[in-house]
Amino acid sequence: MQTAVNGLNEECGIFGVWGTKEAAEVTYYGLHALQHRGQEGAGIVANIDGRLRQERGLGLLADVFSKGDRLRDIMGATSAIGHVRYATSGSNSIENIQPLLAHFSDSQLALAHNGNLTNQVTLRRELEDQGAIFQSTSDSEILMHLIRRSQAPTFTAKVKEALNQLRGGFAFLLLTPDALYAALDPHGFRPFVIGQLPTGQYVAASESAALNVVGAKLIRNVQPGELIKIDNTGMQIDHYTEATDLHIDAMEYIYFARPDSDIYGVNVHTARKRMGANLAAEQPVEADIVVGVPNSSLSAASGFAEALHLPNEMGLVKNQYIARTFIEPTQERREHAVKMKLSAVSSVVKDKRVVLVDDSIVRGTTSMYIVRMLREAGAKEVHVRIASPAFKYPSFYGIDMQTTAELMAANYSLAEMTAKIEADSLAFLSVDGLVDAIGLQKQASGTGLTTAYFDGHYPSPIYDYAESMQAFEDAHLVDYMEEPTCKMHTLQPE
Amino acid sequence: MQTAVNGLNEECGIFGVWGTKEAAEVTYYGLHALQHRGQEGAGIVANIDGRLRQERGLGLLADVFSKGDRLRDIMGATSAIGHVRYATSGSNSIENIQPLLAHFSDSQLALAHNGNLTNQVTLRRELEDQGAIFQSTSDSEILMHLIRRSQAPTFTAKVKEALNQLRGGFAFLLLTPDALYAALDPHGFRPFVIGQLPTGQYVAASESAALNVVGAKLIRNVQPGELIKIDNTGMQIDHYTEATDLHIDAMEYIYFARPDSDIYGVNVHTARKRMGANLAAEQPVEADIVVGVPNSSLSAASGFAEALHLPNEMGLVKNQYIARTFIEPTQERREHAVKMKLSAVSSVVKDKRVVLVDDSIVRGTTSMYIVRMLREAGAKEVHVRIASPAFKYPSFYGIDMQTTAELMAANYSLAEMTAKIEADSLAFLSVDGLVDAIGLQKQASGTGLTTAYFDGHYPSPIYDYAESMQAFEDAHLVDYMEEPTCKMHTLQPE
Amino acid sequence: MQTAVNGLNEECGIFGVWGTKEAAEVTYYGLHALQHRGQEGAGIVANIDGRLRQERGLGLLADVFSKGDRLRDIMGATSAIGHVRYATSGSNSIENIQPLLAHFSDSQLALAHNGNLTNQVTLRRELEDQGAIFQSTSDSEILMHLIRRSQAPTFTAKVKEALNQLRGGFAFLLLTPDALYAALDPHGFRPFVIGQLPTGQYVAASESAALNVVGAKLIRNVQPGELIKIDNTGMQIDHYTEATDLHIDAMEYIYFARPDSDIYGVNVHTARKRMGANLAAEQPVEADIVVGVPNSSLSAASGFAEALHLPNEMGLVKNQYIARTFIEPTQERREHAVKMKLSAVSSVVKDKRVVLVDDSIVRGTTSMYIVRMLREAGAKEVHVRIASPAFKYPSFYGIDMQTTAELMAANYSLAEMTAKIEADSLAFLSVDGLVDAIGLQKQASGTGLTTAYFDGHYPSPIYDYAESMQAFEDAHLVDYMEEPTCKMHTLQPE
Amino acid sequence: MQTAVNGLNEECGIFGVWGTKEAAEVTYYGLHALQHRGQEGAGIVANIDGRLRQERGLGLLADVFSKGDRLRDIMGATSAIGHVRYATSGSNSIENIQPLLAHFSDSQLALAHNGNLTNQVTLRRELEDQGAIFQSTSDSEILMHLIRRSQAPTFTAKVKEALNQLRGGFAFLLLTPDALYAALDPHGFRPFVIGQLPTGQYVAASESAALNVVGAKLIRNVQPGELIKIDNTGMQIDHYTEATDLHIDAMEYIYFARPDSDIYGVNVHTARKRMGANLAAEQPVEADIVVGVPNSSLSAASGFAEALHLPNEMGLVKNQYIARTFIEPTQERREHAVKMKLSAVSSVVKDKRVVLVDDSIVRGTTSMYIVRMLREAGAKEVHVRIASPAFKYPSFYGIDMQTTAELMAANYSLAEMTAKIEADSLAFLSVDGLVDAIGLQKQASGTGLTTAYFDGHYPSPIYDYAESMQAFEDAHLVDYMEEPTCKMHTLQPE
């Protein structure tokens, strides 16, 4: 059971709306804009005439809702929440697809969650010891049980009491027949925003990009420790704790979020472009052209190219259709899968010294395939520049442990890595360069950015994961680590 | 919520096996033999290498398991339980399809249920007040919560404590990675048998007909109040209560069960044939031929015909393929649906005085269509003989309230009914005739047969339904009721 | 290619209607009544606003039309033809599912076919040599090509010319935007009837049972050699040849047709009952009870029982749900498949001498399983009586060659067969007994009944199959054949 | 019927391989790289043990082949051809999905086609008058009939005779059990290349980008008028006509082909970048940033930006997931669909004078939505620059007539268009600028490039379309047309 529970660290997208006759459609459009945050499953719970109805399935949003008349069945709903899910293999059963929905004799409660609870194993055991029955293997269900078991006098009070028992990163949307609630963890690991439709109703979403699609204006970022209630009387901003300390996950800026999203006032594309520029300043290289890995690294590549006055060329083309191989993954197949996604443009790279800009390296195999591809297309030299620091520590708020165990940068020296990916040179952005590029202003709710992946500094105890972390440290390179600083990155005053 | 919970009175089929490498296939074959007990959904939970895996879906068993590789995925399982589900419209969501499966940090529990709990509303409210979260709207989930919350020292003790809190009719199969459990309610409302495979392993099934299909021999009827545990050490027969009093539901003999099943030593086909014979003795008629409504009334028709020395003819033919209309049900469509299922054979019934033998009448509309069909085919007279007593009272153990509200016999006199179904005459079997026909021997576990549908005598308090029952009595005919006797039918000594 | 073409001997059902707004629904209901004639595929071509639209798929009618909105898409059609298809394995690709539909620049033509052309290989080769391209491997497509290539002046004349080139058995329905055509082969091997709706429109169907379901009255049997045209001006009965000689396939009365159908004035159930009675007279047996194999042999069993004044008992029960095993067919699995379909009722057959009445024996394996089943249920003796003559010769009008090659009666003596099926005795109805039981009146269009399966007398040359037939004769028993008479069975004068 | 046939003008992708054990997989990967050429349907015909087997379905390649075991079923094939299909609504029935496959008594023939025959109506009528039956409404089937009807002595001779009867644009792949054939029309309207796998086998593909994915090297462009035969003896290059004159469709460079494809030695990305540069030279504009419409216009935008030394910014982001609305398309919905695909990045465009570079304008509505989107995101000015000439004439080789009728540039003046799309200014690339940007070298097979969309000069008679063309000219603006030059664009000598 341990693995099943541990395996569920996830990056997801959530969206909710209250008080419009087009709640289901708006939620569908909003989730579509968040599809990059999770492709394994999708669902919507919608309020139809005072009763919550759940529609969910495995796969992409459009596929889930093209089956039967699922979207038609919930049209006319006046409020809804939705979820797109990313998860590791093994846990992809329908029970884990969100939003979860529980039926009570006197009410209903739906829940959508983006994040990962670091004390989930402990809480789940405690709840089970008290007789709780879990239908899913997802940590998200824990909040439902905590709310139901709370003896607090009102629903809001129950929710607050329950939220205070959670540790780790979480952005929650709760829907009852009476109200929509949004809550963010005390460190604000995940982005979470509130928008307003032209007709006045409120929407909540993982990223501001989802607001644009439905025509909503960004009103505010949900702040760490907040519990926001939206109902027919409007929006009430409350908080369940004062002990907050903002540590938004740097990976949101580097990789997860859409370039057209703004997080705490910083546009993601712009931040990435500055990462590229800082990288160029820190790690310049003699070359003829700059090539970004599409699509996620195009912003950084343009920043890099502009800084060095090099031409930014389309040396790699991404197939816009999803590749499926249907075949057992062998080494050869994996190379094929990369080729189905990316092609090198020979006439662009031939006889050129190429700077290949990518946003990150995890295992390194994809990088190796891309370097090979460029050489086969005629590139004379290939210099790899990574627009984020070397990824050496496990994440407990968004990437699963198995991948972490294979982190290239945790196991090899820079020279070894350069050889492994078959590049002429390899360099990473520094942590300071990253922090500077993001340029996050100091917020009332806290002062920082989580860069634990790069320096091992976790802003909060990691509870149930402490043992795994020790095992990780024992298993990996120590000498390569450049004194993991435990200081927080000082942000510029607002 | 009230209706959702009330609407779930159901007639289902359950099957389980322990200790054979072909557990999934055996369960599939067994469920196929029980498909007549429920066509809305089907599922199997199987133990694969110590871990329970759930496969379930809406629709017929063969359809559910033809999708993907569902049966293949659970092949090699060494134990399994399965369920075929009948349910009223509205509750046909996947969450309610059984067996239910709950995951705990330290174990798993699967459950399949045939019956209806009369104190479900009360129990559910109590559990919810204590913080329990229900995923389904099915009453079956209640047992899981009661077991989990029990403070008793062993799993078996927890199950016993939980079973003692239930009221109404239930046959349960529970599966854990360690054992298979079978339990029957104290009145034994539903049939439930234990069989043994040629290779020695035990199986449990709703009806003995399911044993034949898998090559198992009938070992014993599960007795009221028993809790049977089957594991690698064999079968242990235990009981959770001594306060038992057998009241097997007469409708099992009349309509629900397969003709090739034996229930407490009485073969169903034989009992039905005797119902026909007793009906002929009580309500004879001058006629040329006897025609039974296929397939359920063919046994009674042959008994009726033999008793009066009339030819038993195939005057009605049933289409063996399932009819679907895809069209909103209007009065006209309903007549069409009957015509898609049944046809009158003109060359058989033309110019004949026909005795039409049917097993029961609920709303009377189908009977009217059949009488009309026979007349259109040339029948000179149509005398309807029903091989069971008039159905006047609601059931709390197998038929849902909505249908009950439309019971023809509860609302009209015999003369009115005859006119409504457009018959030349109409007569029912007496309750005594029914009891005699079934001829159930006195059992150690009790003395009776439930005939509450016909005489309003309920063998146990009806708890949560008391209010509905009062409303039913107020709304329906009183003077038609022939002094509902509260005495139990005295059975012949064994 | 040879096998693909040869393998397509088939028994199918066809239905058509002209001139009603409910043409699609009527055709759907009609096909449902003909589902027993083919379960492999189903389709409807309907005229929507002057344009023919095709909907077809693999599987049962209700399954094919429950996908998407297939029936809804053709609602409002004013004419339609439909088809249910039976076919041997290997040819079950969507291209072969009928009705076929061809698009021309100036028109459209749809075609549904029940039968088998004995000169299909020759015709197909000739057509291909002239440049014809076949999309299906079905022989039915040949008629389309012949019509299109005809130089005759009118469409009707083209159809006549084309029909005259076909040999073998065929009942065709053709639909153009302008008219519905029905044609029957010169020997009338297949049943084919015309009915009339209460509102006056004409329908055509393989069996009269399909008329009842849609509320139509039987007007007439399509006669051998006829070409009937139905359009907005009414029905015109024409013929494409005078050289007719009725030889309706005896297997329609024995096995294929529904008991509630009438073929040339003879009700199928009644004919079967007489087969049972004649069999009892020819092959009586000392026994306690008669048991028919459900459902197809119930009529014969009741005739047999009445003739010998033996009780006709339900000793075998048929599961009304379709069995699927999903597993590679081994000998053991085949026995399982029989058990999933049929169960013996122990309390009926225990300690009894049983006469088991079946309609026919092909390979004998199913009979063996049933005999075993009855003995396991306690039968003391099992005497098998087959209500048709021994099936010794291949059919070229409805059963495929592969099955024929395994015909038990063509390979073994009566004593060997009795041993193989493990019966206490075995006997067949005589050919004369069969002819007498059917009791077909002499028709204007001819004088006979095809009993070639039993006596090898084929009413017409078998063309492309002559070689296969010689091979069959060489490969099988000669001495068991009782002098295959080539005389036609003299029918009673009308 | 006219519309059905006319509506089938299409842009598709084809791929074939001969002589490798992985023929099915290689074809699947190759088609994946061509998916951008058609998303409506996909199919593969593969040679398994000497017999051709067809797998095809509606939708994207990966969806079609994820159903059942379609790819697994054809694994081990030693040769295969495949097709991805683009088609207008109404013709999306399964019969039209390619490759087509015909079965003959003595052989099989499969066909995949990219192009549009301008004499299809005439040929089809002639063939039908000779008795040909068409199963599809696709013009591609015509070649099959012509081949079958040819009296030429060999298969190759038949194919040559048939090809000589076709007019318009076509690239064909034919597969028989014995060989793979590739043929291109005399004007070479569509790209078509031959590659070679590292193991020596030949592949044929619509675009060179598909060669990269399967690891094949580009060997040569199929030349106009060629018929290439590939079998176990190798590749034989033959031609069916000498009357060739290369006029590759300019739209392939502008829009259809992938940027990483090379067509007649010109890389598509590079050509587009030059179109942007030429556009900047012809139509410069005072602005702060350049924004390309992703993904198709990114190359042109970078050329434009570099030429004017303006920053090339990511002001628009494309959602990489396919959008589906499931809702009847209203004006409002269409705007929504654009928003689901594209978002403006406010932090990039705010207060900026934006040059929006797009590759083409058809109806103008999408352009209007994008201009609005940029303004809502804060753009101060939006100047639209189209990197191709104004699209004023219908295409008979790749875009359907219905769309053509709504061509904005054929109906409005430049000032009107600017107002309609709500831009501050609008300008197009000149035809000469386009020709120069592509920079196609003179080929042995001819001298030109088709720019008929822009100047109305069709390189060959348009046969069946002449009437439509006249109607088009009558219905649209004349005075806006800048003297449609009938001269061919003189290309640079090779």
Side-chain angles (χ1 to χ4, degrees), chain B residues 52-79:
Chain B
L52 303 187
R53 176 163 174 162
Q54 181 187 44
E55 298 290 343
R56 57 179 181 171
L58 294 167
L60 293 174
L61 177 78
D63 291 337
V64 168
F65 283 90
S66 69
K67 278 175 203 141
D69 281 333
R70 276 185 169 161
L71 194 56
R72 205 157 308 183
D73 285 351
I74 52 174
M75 280 200 189
T78 51
S79 60

Side-chain angles (χ1 to χ4, degrees), chain C residues 42-48 51-57 64-65 70-71 73-74 77 79-83 94-103 108-112 135-136 144 175, chain D residues 56 92-96 134-136:
Chain C
I44 294 176
V45 168
N47 183 335
I48 310 263
R51 189 157 174 79
L52 303 188
R53 175 164 177 161
Q54 181 187 44
E55 298 290 343
R56 58 179 179 169
V64 168
F65 283 90
R70 276 184 169 160
L71 195 57
D73 285 351
I74 53 174
S79 60
I81 61 173
H83 191 268
I94 187 75
E95 283 80 17
N96 285 334
I97 305 301
Q98 301 192 17
L100 302 177
L101 175 63
H103 303 276
Q108 289 175 294
L109 174 61
L111 176 155
Q135 301 295 323
S136 71
M144 279 201 167
L175 184 69
Chain D
R56 56 179 182 173
N92 59 347
S93 64
I94 187 76
E95 283 78 20
N96 285 334
F134 283 76
Q135 301 295 324
S136 71

Side-chain angles (χ1 to χ4, degrees), chain D residues 128-180:
Chain D
E128 287 185 359
D129 288 349
Q130 294 158 31
I133 294 182
F134 283 76
Q135 301 295 324
S136 71
T137 54
S138 155
D139 62 346
S140 309
E141 198 181 340
I142 288 169
L143 180 62
M144 278 200 168
H145 288 274
L146 293 175
I147 294 171
R148 276 308 279 187
R149 275 151 201 270
S150 165
Q151 299 298 320
T154 64
F155 184 76
T156 303
K158 285 177 205 280
V159 173
K160 285 185 180 179
E161 188 180 300
L163 288 168
N164 275 301
Q165 296 174 64
L166 304 181
R167 298 292 176 269
F170 54 83
F172 275 110
L173 278 173
L174 300 174
L175 183 68
T176 73
D178 303 316
L180 170 68

Side-chain angles (χ1 to χ4, degrees), chain B residues 39 260 267 273 313 347, chain C residues 267 273 313 321 324 343 347:
Chain B
Q39 297 95 44
D260 53 336
N267 171 254
K273 202 167 165 185
E313 294 287 349
S347 70
Chain C
N267 172 254
K273 203 168 166 185
E313 292 290 346
Y321 299 95
R324 287 187 220 159
S343 307
S347 69

